[in-house]
Amino acid sequence: MSTASELARSGPLPLPRICCLDLDTFFVSVERVLDPSLEGKPVVVGGRPGSRGVVTAASYEVRRLGVKSGMSLVEAGKLAPDAIYLPTRGDTYGKYAERVREIARRYSPTVVAASIDEMFLDLSGCERLYGCTGDDDGDTAIERAVIALTAAIDDELGLPSSAGLATSKVMAKVASSLAKPRG
């Protein structure tokens, strides 16, 4: 086992490479996979408009009307009376989330779920695994892996996702938020 002074003399430690993978409008996206006719339409997941409860997820189309997650369904019904309102299907969303995590595990040895629609992957040390001849540096290899990951999720499950890469979870989360949608 190395001591701290031996590690310090051996040079700088490699930077961590953390990816925050966020599934874009996850519940709405799953509903669109199950019913493609919902694509491009204003969709609210959570229940009937005007009923007790809150919006669980809102499509980008309905967000433009002011509807957002956590809002009461009464208020959402007033803002978007013509939107398509759907009940939640927790078991179905859970199965899709697990399938996404299975895909993520093909790209990283460490996948940590932060919520049903968000996870962190530690890609530190994977540069040689994903590197190609001619790459400028390890960043190029890791970026390629993350692009392949989001493409695999879209190709295999039909779900859009955004990813951010950084040296910490907080900054990776900020990067994935800036990349939305499908970034």
Side-chain angles (χ1 to χ4, degrees), residues 9 14 89 95 107 173:
R9 284 192 298 270
R89 297 195 246 187
K95 289 175 186 171
Y107 290 84
K173 172 62 178 164

Side-chain angles (χ1 to χ4, degrees), residues 18-33:
I18 307 299
C19 171
C20 177
L21 179 69
D22 192 336
L23 301 166
D24 299 339
T25 62
F26 178 55
F27 297 164
V28 171
S29 296
V30 170
E31 294 294 343
R32 287 177 169 168
V33 166

Side-chain angles (χ1 to χ4, degrees), residues 94-160:
K95 289 175 186 171
Y96 272 88
E98 181 52 38
R99 291 173 67 190
V100 171
R101 287 190 291 275
E102 288 171 7
I103 294 170
R105 287 185 198 105
R106 297 191 323 231
Y107 290 84
S108 172
T110 305
V111 176
V112 178
S115 66
I116 193 168
D117 67 343
E118 182 178 272
M119 63 200 72
F120 291 96
L121 291 77
D122 187 350
L123 295 161
S124 304
C126 294
E127 298 83 0
R128 288 180 57 191
L129 179 65
Y130 296 114
C132 293
T133 304
D135 283 351
D136 293 333
D137 55 26
D139 291 342
T140 303
I142 298 301
E143 288 171 14
R144 183 183 309 107
V146 171
I147 290 168
L149 166 64
T150 58
I153 293 166
D154 193 20
D155 292 345
E156 294 176 35
L157 302 176
L159 297 175

Side-chain angles (χ1 to χ4, degrees), residues 32-55:
R32 287 177 169 168
V33 166
L34 299 173
D35 180 0
S37 72
L38 298 173
E39 195 65 44
K41 296 179 180 172
V43 177
V44 176
V45 176
R48 292 187 324 271
S51 65
R52 280 185 65 140
V54 297
V55 173

